[in-house]
Each structure stands twice: as structure tokens, then as C-alpha cells.
Amino acid sequence: MLKVENLSFSVNEKGAELNILSDISFEVEKGEMLVITGPNGGGKSTLAKVLMGIEKAESGKIILDGEDITDYDIDERAKAGIGFAFQQPPRFKGMTVDRLISLAAGEHKTEAECCDLLSRVGLCAQEYVKREVDNTLSGGEMKRLEIATVLAKPHKLCIFDEPEAGIDLWSFSMLIQQFEEIKKDDNQSLILISHQERIMQMADRVMVIEDGKVAGIGKRADILPQLMKQGPSCCAYLKRLEEI
């Protein structure tokens, strides 16, 4: 289980402190899928980076299965069981696909094992296993490859930042299939940052982040209908919901 307590993060912009996240608190149960949505610029991607340790929170706690990981760096959080997929996956000129998968797995993966992972995300294994992870790969290919690296080892928590961004419909369909497979594993939790209705329909719960704060969180069936009507900016509705 992930437990986030009073998480805050700010940056200094032209001599002034700008609050990006303010007093964020929520939990994700083991095996649960939480979708985080909300207006652009609301702090969603920053929250994902803080959870992974890419950015460091200035206050608050992050606890994973009872272990306080607040002061852990990226490598330590990965070892603790967190997997992360960027909104724009990084490219590594000179690194082959099979090498990247092995690094993500934390152990050597045979060519057959790499091919199996690539096949699971809809990539023709023999064509990709020795390719370089560079600009010759399309956005959709990079997204599917990144899913393969996440699948390369079991995680307690997988975080995906806008996985639908910049990919074609066929690639998106493949991503949905993989999320459904991960969701079947009761030992893995999922956090997906997304505006996409199909992804939100898969969620156990939905959390709305707006202006760096939790505008509301609840079961999909309670929140999603109003999101569809009012769009991401629905703080007034969510506040009413919390009062019920």
C-alpha cells in the first residue's frame, strides 16, 4: 500500500516561491488502480515525479508498505518496488532494446525473454530486440517499449504519466490491454495520470488535482459522471460530494 501524507513541493521563480503541490494526502491500496486527472498545469506530473524521487518534496511523507521512503533517491525507490513510465520516454542513442530491458529488470535478460516482453506489447520481437533506443523509434514504439521495461520485473507500485500522450489508436489499444493485465495482479498497485475516458473507466478510484491540491477523490462511479459533464475543472462539484 502507498500512503502519502501532507506532501508539498514548490519552486523558486524569479525570486518568488511558487507552490506546485500543497498538502497532498491520499492512499493507494494493494492491487488498486488510481487514476489522477485534472486541468493542465495542476501539478499531476509533478506529483508523479515526487513519488518516484525525480523531484524532492519539501515536506510530507511517502510510505510504501509501511516503509518510509521519503528520503530515498530514484534508485532506492526502484529497489523498494516502484516502477515509473515517463510522459515522454527518454531515448538512449547507442543502447539496444535488449540492453535497456535488462537494465530495467535489474538482471540479464536473454534474447528469448526480451522477445517475449516485446511481443506482449505488440512489437515484432526480432525487428526490435537489437535496435537502438533512439530517434528512429516513433512515439508509439517508445511507449510500448517503456511498458515492456516496466513489465520486465514485478513492482509493488507502477506509475504511468499520461501514457496515452502522442500515440496512435492501435498503440493505445495495446497499452489498455497491458494495464488490464497488470490490474489482474492483486500484488501490484497502479497510478495512472490521464485525461482519457477509457483509462478512467478502468479505475477503482479517481483523484482530481487542481491548483496543486486534491480537489476530490472517490470511487469511479461517484466522480466520473460529473467529470464527463463538467470537464476537469469541477472543484465545486467535488467539494459538494465530500460534504455528502
Side-chain angles (χ1 to χ4, degrees), residues 155-226:
H155 297 91
K156 294 178 181 177
L157 172 68
C158 296
I159 303 171
F160 295 88
D161 187 5
E162 296 197 27
E164 72 273 16
I167 64 172
D168 55 68
L169 289 175
W170 191 85
S171 297
F172 178 70
S173 177
M174 295 299 302
L175 289 178
I176 292 295
Q177 290 179 30
Q178 292 308 311
F179 293 146
E180 289 173 341
E181 287 300 312
I182 296 173
K183 197 170 184 291
K184 291 177 183 178
D185 186 349
D186 293 336
N187 292 315
Q188 294 194 73
S189 302
L190 275 171
I191 293 179
L192 275 76
I193 294 171
S194 180
H195 299 291
Q196 224 288 332
E197 182 181 357
R198 178 66 184 86
I199 290 177
M200 287 190 280
Q201 289 284 3
M202 298 170 62
D204 296 300
R205 289 187 301 146
V206 175
M207 181 167 76
V208 178
I209 297 288
E210 188 168 0
D211 296 327
K213 300 177 181 179
V214 177
I217 184 170
K219 293 180 180 179
R220 176 194 64 216
D222 293 330
I223 290 185
L224 193 54
Q226 292 299 322

Side-chain angles (χ1 to χ4, degrees), residues 6-62:
N6 309 113
L7 209 62
S8 294
F9 174 79
S10 62
V11 296
N12 190 285
E13 189 172 284
K14 297 180 180 178
E17 188 174 272
L18 179 63
N19 292 325
I20 307 299
L21 301 174
S22 301
D23 201 31
I24 300 285
S25 296
F26 65 97
E27 295 182 3
V28 183
E29 298 291 338
K30 182 178 289 188
E32 181 181 26
M33 176 176 172
L34 175 71
V35 171
I36 301 176
T37 192
N40 291 331
K44 304 181 301 299
S45 291
T46 299
L47 175 59
K49 291 175 182 177
V50 170
L51 293 177
M52 190 64 229
I54 299 169
E55 300 284 2
K56 183 173 177 57
E58 62 187 42
S59 63
K61 286 187 177 182
I62 303 171

Side-chain angles (χ1 to χ4, degrees), residues 101-109 113 152:
I101 291 174
S102 291
L103 286 173
E107 62 182 16
H108 174 70
K109 290 290 186 182
E113 290 173 318

Side-chain angles (χ1 to χ4, degrees), residues 113-169:
E113 290 173 318
C114 291
C115 287
D116 177 64
L117 286 165
L118 292 171
S119 297
R120 288 169 63 185
V121 296
L123 294 176
C124 183
Q126 292 300 326
E127 291 183 12
Y128 285 90
V129 70
K130 291 298 182 181
R131 282 186 65 175
E132 288 190 11
V133 187
D134 57 17
N135 289 329
T136 63
L137 295 174
S138 70
E141 288 169 329
M142 285 299 304
K143 285 286 187 179
R144 281 179 273 162
L145 175 56
E146 190 165 45
I147 293 291
T149 64
V150 174
L151 295 175
K153 65 178 291 187
H155 297 91
K156 294 178 181 177
L157 172 68
C158 296
I159 303 171
F160 295 88
D161 187 5
E162 296 197 27
E164 72 273 16
I167 64 172
D168 55 68
L169 289 175

